[in-house]
Amino acid sequence: MVAQTRHAGQPSPKKKLEFREKLVGKGLSTDALLKKMKTLHTQLAALDQDHVDVQSLSTARKELIHSSILLHKDRGVKAYAACCLADILRLYAPDAPYTQNELRDIFQFFFRQLSNGLKGAESTYYNEYFHLLESLSTVKSVVLVCDLPAADELMTEIFREFFSLVRRDITKKVELFMADILVALIDEAQSMPSEVMDIILAQFTDKNARIDQPAYRLAVQICNSTADKLQRNVCQYFSDIISSHSSEDNNNNTEDYDDIRTAHDLIKALHRSCPGVLHSVIPLLDEELRADDLSVRTMATQVLGEMFAMDKAGGDLVKKYPTTWNVWISRKSDKAVSIRVKLVESCRNLIVSRPEVRESLKEMLTEKVFDPDEKVRAAVCKVYSQLDYESALHHVGKKQLLDIAGRGLDKKHAVRVEALNAVGKLYSLAYPEIENGDPAALEHFGWIPEEVLRITSTSPEVRSVVEQVLADYILPLPSSGGSKGPEVDEVAWTDRLLCVMRYLSEKSIKALLGLSGIKATRPNIYQVFIDTCVQYNGGIMDEGEELITRRLNATIQHLAVGFPDPHKSQDDLHAFAKLNENRLFKLAKTCMDPQTDIKNLAKVTVRLFILPSPLSPSLLPKIQPILTIFAPTQAEFQKRLDQTSSTLLPTLNIFLRRASLRIINQSSIPSLLKRVSRGYGSTAKHLIETANLAQTVLSFVSKHCAALYKPHVAELVKVVMAGDAGKGNVNEQMVEIGLQALAGVVKVDGAGVAATDKRMNERIEKFAMHSNWRLAKFATRYLTFGKNKKEVCTRLAKAIAEEFEETEDADAEGVAARVAALAQLSRFYPDAFESHSDVFMTFLLKKLSQVTIPRLQDTMEDGEEWFEDDVPELLRAKVQALKACRSRCLAHASSDKAVEIATPVMKLCATLLEHSGSLNAEIEEDPKFMSRLRLEAAVSMLHLATVEKFATVLTPKFLRLAVVIQDSCYNVRYLYLTKLLTLLQPRKIPPQFNIIPFLTVHDPEGDIKTLASTYVESAKKRLPPALRAEHLEIIFIRLLHLLAHHPDFSTAHDDLLDIVKYLQFYLDLIATQDNVSLLHHLALKAKTVRDAESHSENFYITAELAQELIKKKAQEKSWTIQTYPGKVRLPPDILRPLPSSEAGKEILKTTYLPEETRRWLDELGKAALPKEKKERKAPVKRKAPATKASGQSKRRRKKARSREDDEDESAGEESNEEEAEENEDSEMDVDEKPPTSEDVEETPRPRGTRTSARNKTKTKAKNRRSPPQTDPDDEDE
């Protein structure tokens, strides 16, 4: 047993190689050799390394490396020889039985065989090559290469061969064997040849480098397996590149930066797949962030931003290198703009993928949205525009988005575009959720249209961006699927409009409707332009050339004012006219035609994504806007666009976007009517809100573009016929809409479109006598334009007259409806009114107007001056009575008795203004009634002033009419200014009314002052020089006169500072280098005449103030005040010549300004006037407010009345004394005729003017969000 045990413990006997044949010798055939090699290989492969007698291998070992074997011409011999040699190395391991030179030859032989023979599983001797590769991989005999003298060269060759070999169609296992071999070489090598690093890293710079590429996979596997070993080499690789750049002189060329840029791209690729090798490289990037070289710093900022944003590797990078992260984020304060931009641009992906750094990103972006440089601000806005809905909802705060929306008012156009596009895109993404009423979406994004529309009227530049955002994202046109695609969804398109409006303020709704193109009187300026282009015929005209050219120039000038770049727009529009492309003109008319439905509009505006080949693709961004507008066929546009300049396309884009009805279309009408109908009788809040909004849109269409209803007359008739005028079950909301729409249609298109059904006309006639004043109003209007209007209107007037004769109480039920009907008759069919005018005027002036409404105790306590909701019927009747009287006066404006007819009405209005809305100064009436009545009286006087003979009579009342703009009630001021501007814009009233907007400087509300200043700025741009001088500059003398008679005027220093603000407001808006001489001339001329009303010194005080302020303004702006070369005629209605030259000299020598005010002006020096003066008691001044106004409606401008100025004969004045001396012997430039008592009437101080605007308006400003909605009484104005 013991012997057996000893025997069992002895090692196994060594096996010997049985092969004894010769491999080298003469006369040995290839086949015989191949057979022997195969036998040898089989026997060697079967031997185990631990149980082999290596002495038995010596013969084979020596013969296998004989040159006749290694250089044999047969592939098979060499393949088996390679396998045998691999087995020899395996069996001898760890010691190689060859010299270093022999080993070098063997390994070169190995890899040459693999390179030539390993071509695929189907290739000859594939199994032998596979065996060789597997042996090298498992035995790791390849590490012997590292000990050879030329190891670096051989190692480089191996890597080159393997990366070339791996690109073939090889199996995954072969790829793994290769990776093991190369990894073994790297692990065993004492140093890495730079060529090897180049070969490995080259796999990451290949443009096709992706995980499905074998060479890329092999390189990734090698780097990940040897990361610790390669870190130093990779770091050295990049250090060499960076140091070679920094060692150059400062004049580094582009190629140097290209090397660094390539290195950074390589770092990104390594970071994406094998970040472990970059452990020592990240500090290099950290140092680059601090480098002085701007380009290097910029590239480092960009590459680190991209690396931080990578999925998993980015998160690990932030955690492992917090210092690098902090240095990177600190680049937000870098002095270089490009670096701050790169930093911001990297944030988009970080917001989405890096939750751990969102707070620091939020802080940084919030700060950078107010960066001093526009490029950074634009980049921040663009980051938000690139976010998807979920990321914006969950990872971006509402305040951040509000800050971005606020950049819509940025001074730089590029920032405005990016900011508004960003919020617009986010709203478009969120709209499906907003439509479904998702609370999170509403809270986060529902406010965007409000913020966008709020800034519409800021400037033409801002407006154009707002229009583009509305068209692209908020209210886009429905897509057309073409002949095979889905139909345009008109209902969804209309519902989107209502959904957007549902979350808008009243002011923003007005702005949106103003942008719809509905409000423009047709033919509007865009249609006039296209028609004129057709007549212009490219500049070739047979007749009327001068007239057509002048009309084209005037139209283009008028249009260009509203464009972002007026000068470029003029050039572009002229170029478009010269193209003379009749097909484009026809398409433009199609877009502008109110009868074009949304389907056809969408087809015309379909986008062309594939351009004809001759057109350069680089032009796509420039021509896309015009392709968006016109797209009947690609070939047609190819032909026309080849003839155009791409520079005019943005201008045409704005033109056609404004000219076409993209927001409200005739296709909207059926859906809007259905939404109103659904709201009737419903208790659902959203249905009621939607119905009211739909009614708002329909009323707006009825008022401004009733032609949209023309295809839907039959449907409107059904709406009206659905209600019974004699019973109480009528849906008054629907009937009102139907009547208003039908009245608008027959007013625009005449009685030809009126319903011919007898029952229908009888029904409308009943509605004219309805107790609902709006039904009566629109029904009467329809009758005044319908068929048989003479008979029907006469019958209606007779019925109302009989009712008035029988009515003793002017406050009876239904009076408001009857008076509303009378107002329509007096306006649109005055003959019917005149048939019973005695009865009507007696009732209106002597009964209805004399009814007083005493002030109640509760109104004394609340201090309110306006009915926000339901207006009492008596007040409604009184307001309509003023309208009826006003319309009657205007109807008789051309008759000889016009003044006689209008005198009682003008006296009534003047009395209402004098007593602040009451006819009896001794009775204290309800202030809510009084505010409405004085507003309507003021508006009536404005309308009467459109007639020259009435304007002359109203001249003595101008001061009282002007100071209505400083009324104690905000609603009165705002609505009065709105009405005033609608008459000033088309120049319907005399130029002196342009003084009134300048009285808004003290208004406690911002929107009124902004509305006034917006009008003035617009008028400055639109008016030609002659009209601009007449309407805005010559009136300066009238402003001085009005201020001298202002109720707040006094010679106290503090009160004069208020007058200074009026003058400064005027100068800030009007004064320029071109007209400062004229304004100074007018201020000087003021002391050469006397005040026609009071002969007081107040006028001279305001004139001296104006002189000094003009000098200060010129000094501040570095203007030179030249002697005015022209001659100006001073207004004779307010100024009179001085009685003698001695009086003139005395006035010129006298200084009327108080000493304290003169000192204040002297101290003013070059400094700008202060925004606020010292605090004074609030209750003693009439001041009126200023706020951002919604855009004014564009109306057609009528031809101005000619007002020729008589030329003054004095010229070359240098001072007050010189001018006076020159005028002493010359004829005075005012009429010598003294005023009669009838011509001039001293205006008494209006009641309550010293406490109104400053006191009461400020109190109410806190509770008021937006300007008042237009009074329904005034919707036809």
Side-chain angles (χ1 to χ4, degrees), residues 676-684 688 731 733:
V676 177
S677 179
R678 287 180 61 185
Y680 177 64
S682 174
T683 57
I688 296 174
N731 181 352
Q733 187 182 25

Side-chain angles (χ1 to χ4, degrees), residues 88-89 91-98 144:
I88 292 292
L89 292 176
L91 296 174
Y92 274 92
D95 298 321
Y98 299 108
L144 296 172

Side-chain angles (χ1 to χ4, degrees), residues 612-723:
S613 56
L615 191 61
S616 172
S618 63
L619 292 179
L620 177 60
K622 297 181 179 180
I623 68 170
Q624 192 65 45
I626 197 67
L627 296 179
T628 302
I629 303 301
F630 299 131
T633 62
Q634 296 180 27
E636 184 174 1
F637 262 92
Q638 173 64 63
K639 173 185 175 183
R640 283 158 176 76
L641 287 174
D642 283 342
Q643 304 173 24
T644 67
S645 170
S646 60
T647 57
L648 60 83
L649 299 172
T651 301
L652 292 181
N653 184 27
I654 296 174
F655 173 88
L656 291 165
R657 189 168 56 225
R658 293 178 178 179
S660 57
L661 301 181
R662 302 169 58 94
I663 297 176
I664 304 170
N665 188 274
Q666 64 107 334
S667 301
S668 310
I669 304 302
S671 298
L672 292 171
L673 290 173
K674 288 179 183 178
R675 295 297 171 264
V676 177
S677 179
R678 287 180 61 185
Y680 177 64
S682 174
T683 57
K685 181 181 178 181
H686 71 282
L687 291 180
I688 296 174
E689 290 179 350
T690 302
N692 291 335
L693 291 171
Q695 183 178 10
T696 299
V697 176
L698 290 169
S699 298
F700 187 80
V701 173
S702 300
K703 179 180 177 182
H704 297 292
C705 190
L708 294 183
Y709 288 115
K710 194 171 181 180
H712 310 287
V713 170
E715 191 170 353
L716 295 173
V717 170
K718 291 180 182 178
V719 169
V720 175
M721 292 296 290

Side-chain angles (χ1 to χ4, degrees), residues 831-1030:
D831 291 345
F833 186 95
E834 290 303 317
S835 63
H836 301 280
S837 60
D838 293 342
V839 177
F840 296 149
M841 295 306 294
T842 299
F843 180 82
L844 298 177
L845 297 180
K846 297 184 178 180
K847 286 187 178 182
L848 180 59
S849 298
Q850 301 302 322
V851 178
T852 59
I853 304 94
R855 183 169 186 169
L856 302 177
Q857 185 63 32
D858 57 348
T859 61
M860 294 182 182
E861 295 176 356
D862 62 22
E864 289 293 331
E865 294 186 86
W866 194 259
F867 285 104
E868 294 293 345
D869 299 315
D870 295 332
V871 177
E873 185 169 351
L874 177 58
L875 176 57
R876 184 78 66 193
K878 285 193 167 193
V879 170
Q880 291 294 325
L882 287 173
K883 289 190 172 187
C885 294
R886 176 182 80 207
S887 297
R888 180 172 183 251
C889 295
L890 294 174
H892 290 84
S894 59
S895 69
D896 296 335
K897 296 183 178 181
V899 176
E900 180 183 346
I901 293 173
T903 298
V905 178
M906 290 189 284
K907 185 178 292 186
L908 173 66
C909 293
T911 304
L912 287 171
L913 287 185
E914 183 177 348
H915 301 308
S916 299
S918 173
L919 292 177
N920 192 336
E922 298 178 358
I923 300 177
E924 191 172 8
E925 297 192 53
D926 189 331
K928 296 182 181 179
F929 277 67
M930 294 169 66
S931 62
R932 287 269 183 172
L933 290 175
R934 64 176 178 268
L935 170 64
E936 192 55 44
V939 171
S940 296
M941 293 175 75
L942 289 178
H943 281 284
L944 291 174
T946 59
V947 179
E948 187 174 359
K949 59 182 70 175
F950 296 158
T952 303
V953 178
L954 290 173
T955 297
K957 304 296 182 183
F958 179 76
L959 173 62
R960 187 60 189 89
L961 184 57
V963 295
V964 174
I965 199 64
Q966 297 176 331
D967 193 90
S968 61
C969 178
Y970 166 81
N971 302 71
V972 172
R973 299 197 305 276
Y974 186 86
L975 294 173
Y976 174 71
L977 179 61
T978 303
K979 295 295 182 184
L980 172 69
L981 298 186
T982 59
L983 296 173
L984 284 176
Q985 285 169 340
R987 303 192 299 279
K988 291 183 178 180
I989 51 181
Q992 59 261 34
F993 282 86
N994 282 290
I995 296 173
I996 300 177
F998 298 104
L999 302 183
T1000 62
V1001 66
H1002 288 294
D1003 201 297
E1005 301 297 333
D1007 52 352
I1008 292 181
K1009 181 179 176 182
T1010 301
L1011 181 59
S1013 57
T1014 300
Y1015 158 72
V1016 175
E1017 293 286 358
S1018 175
K1020 277 175 56 182
K1021 295 177 181 178
R1022 291 182 183 276
L1023 292 175
L1027 288 176
R1028 184 166 60 246
E1030 178 186 0

Side-chain angles (χ1 to χ4, degrees), residues 1023-1088:
L1023 292 175
L1027 288 176
R1028 184 166 60 246
E1030 178 186 0
H1031 288 262
L1032 295 177
E1033 297 168 3
I1034 301 296
I1035 63 167
F1036 184 52
I1037 192 74
R1038 289 187 176 273
L1039 177 61
L1040 299 179
H1041 181 270
L1042 184 145
L1043 294 177
H1045 290 268
H1046 194 281
D1048 290 341
F1049 185 92
S1050 79
T1051 56
H1053 175 65
D1054 285 345
D1055 290 338
L1056 287 179
L1057 291 185
D1058 286 338
I1059 302 300
V1060 166
K1061 287 187 177 294
Y1062 290 113
L1063 297 173
Q1064 188 63 41
F1065 185 46
Y1066 175 88
L1067 293 175
D1068 287 343
L1069 290 174
I1070 298 299
T1072 65
Q1073 173 67 73
D1074 297 330
N1075 64 20
V1076 67
S1077 298
L1078 171 60
L1079 299 180
H1080 189 252
H1081 175 75
L1082 291 171
L1084 292 174
K1085 293 287 289 182
K1087 294 189 70 174
T1088 65

